[in-house]
């Protein structure tokens, strides 16, 4: 028998005489012949009273489990599985650098056909093996440019399945090696300029690909967002912002949530992009994510608070953050001192921006009702950075709290401040 490409020789006495398959539950009849329980049961249920192999009339129809044979079959099956794993591992093992160099040369020679996915898949495995391998790929002459050229396909949405898979592999490799590319701006220009609509291909793959491909596309988009022009160009591509926001729902894969948040942070600094993100109700999405303990890891929480910090720099963003019953601000207050130093600093900056810098009345009410003043006092006694300490002092002024009297009344000796 064959299992994929692995040839397996099955011992004859492991096969059921009726079904000819490997027996799962071998049982013996009174004639001494062993069958698989399901097969012999069907034979007898059909009204037969003979042994199928010998055609002898059965004195009784009792079964005797053949424990010895069953154990032998189990041992043999385990050895087959181990052999399959070993051969599969050997087949998927990362190739050597010499093999990769040959593979890259093949792509260069055959690039007009652009259908050799197997070669690019081998390169993907090589890149995933180590950081050094990724550096090796990024340093190969013209290889990055070759991969970018593979993405450049007119009418990609209607292209053949084979070519589509080649483009996907090229995007995976570029995402793998992106941090090893020394000239980030030049690489961004390769993707975004020269009159070629490569960005549309990447956005299309992000919209239609599996989770792994979405993560690769988001990482690539984040990397090429190097200045205001490129950020606007990426953020205003049809459908991208909507798709990124879908990807940060609590039901999404955790790694996809992180990569999508990173991409949103990377493109959000231009004011035009901020206003668009606010119109698309991003603040509501972020608040839901922060409020869900099952979806908010440390990294996700930090990125969510960073996004709120960025959006709080606009009047429209502050209005949304303080809107409704102040749920967003209350959620921000809850994250103070509970996640990480970075998360706390982002949260303090959000509170400082809406409460002190722009003095939003709704913010004062929300922070006070969420016991924010007490947390501000506790933070002032912790080992926070000078910048955070200045913002906290400003916040206390807004809340009309006399810092000196509050701290003297507060017994610091009996208060245990948990480290971040």
């Amino acid at each position: 028998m064959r299992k994929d490409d692995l040839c397996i020789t099955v011992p004859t006495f492991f096969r059921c005489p009726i079904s000819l398959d490997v027996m799962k539950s071998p049982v013996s009849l009174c004639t001494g012949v062993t069958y698989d329980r399901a097969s012999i049961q069907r034979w007898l249920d059909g009204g037969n009273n003979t042994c199928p192999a010998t055609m002898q009339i059965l004195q009784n129809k009792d079964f005797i489990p053949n424990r010895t044979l069953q154990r032998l079959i189990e041992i043999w099956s385990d050895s087959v599985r181990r052999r399959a794993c070993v051969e599969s591992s050997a087949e998927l093992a990362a190739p050597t650098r010499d093999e990769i160099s040959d593979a890259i040369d093949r792509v260069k020679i055959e690039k007009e056909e652009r259908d050799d996915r197997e070669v690019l898949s081998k390169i993907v495995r090589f890149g995933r093996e180590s950081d050094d391998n990724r550096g090796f790929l990024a340093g190969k002459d013209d290889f990055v440019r070759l991969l970018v050229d593979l993405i450049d396909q007119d009418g990609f949405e209607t292209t053949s399945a084979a070519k589509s898979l080649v483009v996907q592999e090229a995007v995976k490799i570029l995402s793998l090696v992106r941090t090893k590319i020394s000239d980030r701006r030049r690489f961004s220009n390769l993707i975004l300029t020269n009159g070629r609509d490569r960005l549309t291909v990447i956005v299309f793959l992000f919209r239609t690909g599996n989770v792994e491909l979405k993560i690769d596309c988001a990482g690539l988009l984040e990397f090429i967002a190097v200045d205001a022009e490129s950020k606007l160009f990426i953020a205003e591509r049809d459908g991208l912002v909507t798709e990124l926001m879908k990807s940060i729902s609590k039901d999404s894969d955790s790694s996809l949530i992180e990569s999508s948040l990173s991409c949103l942070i990377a493109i959000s600094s231009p004011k035009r992009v901020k206003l668009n993100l606010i119109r698309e109700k991003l603040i509501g999405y972020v608040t839901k994510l922060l409020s869900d303990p099952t979806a908010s890891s440390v990294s996700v929480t930090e990125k969510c608070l960073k996004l709120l910090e960025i959006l709080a720099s606009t009047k429209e963003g502050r209005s949304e953050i303080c809107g409704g019953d102040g749920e967003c601000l209350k959620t921000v207050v809850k994250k103070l001192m509970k996640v990480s130093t970075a998360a706390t600093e982002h949260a303090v900056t959000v509170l400082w921006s809406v409460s002190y810098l722009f003095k939003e009345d709704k913010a004062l009410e929300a922070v006070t009702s969420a016991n924010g003043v007490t947390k501000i006092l506790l933070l002032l006694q912790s080992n926070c950075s000078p910048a955070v300490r200045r913002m906290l002092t400003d916040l206390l002024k807004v809340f009309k709290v006399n810092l000196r009297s509050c701290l003297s009344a507060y017994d610091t000796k009996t208060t245990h401040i948990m480290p971040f």
Side-chain angles (χ1 to χ4, degrees):
M1 62 182 289
R2 294 178 66 85
K3 183 174 178 62
D4 298 329
D5 291 330
L6 180 64
C7 294
I8 303 171
T9 302
V10 182
T12 303
F13 57 94
F14 287 175
R15 296 179 185 272
C16 173
I18 298 175
S19 67
L20 301 181
D21 291 331
V22 176
M23 288 182 277
K24 297 178 181 178
S25 178
V27 293
S28 299
L29 296 180
C30 59
T31 57
V33 182
T34 300
Y35 302 90
D36 192 40
R37 182 186 293 272
S39 297
I40 191 61
Q41 188 66 63
R42 282 194 299 271
W43 168 264
L44 296 175
D45 288 346
N48 299 293
N49 64 348
T50 58
C51 172
T54 65
M55 298 308 295
Q56 290 178 271
I57 296 177
L58 299 174
Q59 300 301 316
N60 62 70
K61 296 182 180 180
D62 296 335
F63 300 149
I64 301 175
N66 193 329
R67 305 293 187 192
T68 302
L69 183 57
Q70 184 168 14
R71 180 57 182 154
L72 289 173
I73 292 173
E74 290 173 354
I75 293 171
W76 172 81
S77 298
D78 288 342
S79 68
V80 169
R81 280 192 290 268
R82 284 195 297 271
R83 178 187 165 195
C85 289
V86 169
E87 295 196 8
S88 177
S89 299
E91 180 184 346
L92 295 177
T96 65
R97 291 192 175 188
D98 288 340
E99 290 173 331
I100 287 301
S101 295
D102 291 341
I104 291 173
D105 290 338
R106 282 179 58 192
V107 176
K108 290 179 180 178
I109 293 171
E110 300 170 4
K111 65 180 180 180
E112 293 304 320
E113 297 179 8
R114 296 179 178 179
D115 60 358
D116 197 348
R117 185 193 179 198
E118 182 181 345
V119 175
L120 292 174
S121 296
K122 180 185 290 187
I123 297 172
V124 170
R125 294 202 304 274
F126 176 81
R128 287 173 175 166
E129 189 71 14
S130 71
D131 196 54
D132 287 342
N133 287 358
R134 291 187 282 276
F136 173 79
L137 291 173
K140 290 291 290 183
D141 293 341
D142 296 326
F143 182 52
V144 169
R145 179 60 183 261
L146 172 65
L147 293 170
V148 172
D149 286 343
L150 287 174
I151 298 174
D152 178 28
Q153 294 200 25
D154 294 331
F156 174 77
E157 295 184 25
T158 58
T159 194
S160 69
K163 289 184 178 180
S164 175
L165 291 172
V166 167
V167 175
Q168 292 178 35
E169 295 301 312
V171 168
K172 289 178 185 178
I173 298 170
L174 287 173
S175 181
L176 273 172
V177 306
R178 67 184 188 275
T179 58
K180 298 298 181 179
I181 297 173
S182 56
D183 194 337
R184 184 176 174 184
R185 186 176 295 274
R186 180 172 176 271
F187 176 70
S188 177
N189 289 337
L190 282 176
I191 299 287
L192 300 177
T193 60
N194 299 324
R196 310 265 174 75
D197 207 5
R198 293 160 181 150
L199 178 59
T200 295
V201 174
I202 298 173
V203 172
F204 176 78
L205 292 176
F206 182 80
R207 192 171 70 247
T208 60
N210 58 25
V211 169
E212 181 185 352
L213 187 58
K214 284 177 181 285
I215 292 170
D216 288 331
C217 289
L220 205 52
L221 291 170
E222 177 192 356
F223 188 74
I224 61 177
V226 294
D227 53 26
E229 184 180 1
S230 60
K231 292 176 182 186
L232 279 168
F233 198 62
I234 295 167
E236 295 181 349
R237 187 51 51 111
D238 289 346
L240 177 61
V241 166
T242 301
E243 201 63 37
L244 284 168
M245 288 172 57
K246 286 180 183 176
S247 297
I248 63 170
S249 67
K250 64 179 183 179
D251 297 324
S252 295
D253 176 85
S254 58
S255 297
L256 178 58
I257 291 174
E258 285 193 41
S259 60
S260 298
L261 286 170
S262 295
C263 185
L264 285 166
I265 291 169
I267 64 176
S268 63
S269 56
K271 184 174 181 180
R272 204 160 79 196
V273 178
K274 293 177 191 175
L275 294 177
N276 183 44
L277 293 176
I278 293 163
R279 282 194 295 269
E280 293 291 333
K281 305 298 181 183
L282 176 61
I283 290 172
Y285 278 78
V286 170
T287 302
K288 287 180 181 178
L289 199 56
L290 281 173
S291 302
D292 187 346
T294 63
S296 294
S297 63
V298 171
S299 178
V300 165
T301 301
E302 290 174 353
K303 294 178 193 301
C304 285
L305 292 169
K306 177 63 177 177
L307 263 177
L308 291 177
E309 178 185 328
I310 293 170
L311 299 178
S313 64
T314 66
K315 179 181 178 181
E316 294 80 0
R318 293 189 295 275
S319 178
E320 284 292 317
I321 290 171
C322 301
D325 59 356
E327 186 61 34
C328 180
L329 271 183
K330 292 175 184 176
T331 303
V332 171
V333 171
K334 289 177 183 177
K335 299 302 177 182
L336 289 171
M337 304 177 69
K338 284 190 175 181
V339 183
S340 67
T341 300
T344 293
E345 290 183 354
H346 292 317
V348 169
T349 306
V350 172
L351 297 177
W352 178 80
S353 182
V354 297
S355 302
Y356 174 79
L357 195 60
F358 297 100
K359 297 178 173 58
E360 299 281 350
D361 291 337
K362 288 184 177 180
L364 303 182
E365 296 174 10
V367 173
T368 302
S369 65
N371 201 28
V373 176
T374 301
K375 288 198 172 187
I376 290 170
L377 289 168
L378 290 171
L379 270 170
L380 271 168
Q381 299 172 76
S382 67
N383 188 26
C384 56
S385 68
V388 170
R389 188 174 296 278
R390 283 194 296 272
M391 286 189 284
L392 292 169
T393 303
D394 289 339
L395 283 169
L396 285 176
K397 292 176 183 177
V398 172
F399 289 107
K400 297 181 173 60
V401 175
N402 184 291
L403 178 62
R404 181 173 298 174
S405 62
C406 284
L407 291 179
S408 61
Y410 199 87
D411 185 5
T412 58
K413 293 182 180 179
T414 60
T415 303
H416 179 63
I417 306 297
M418 293 296 292
F420 296 117

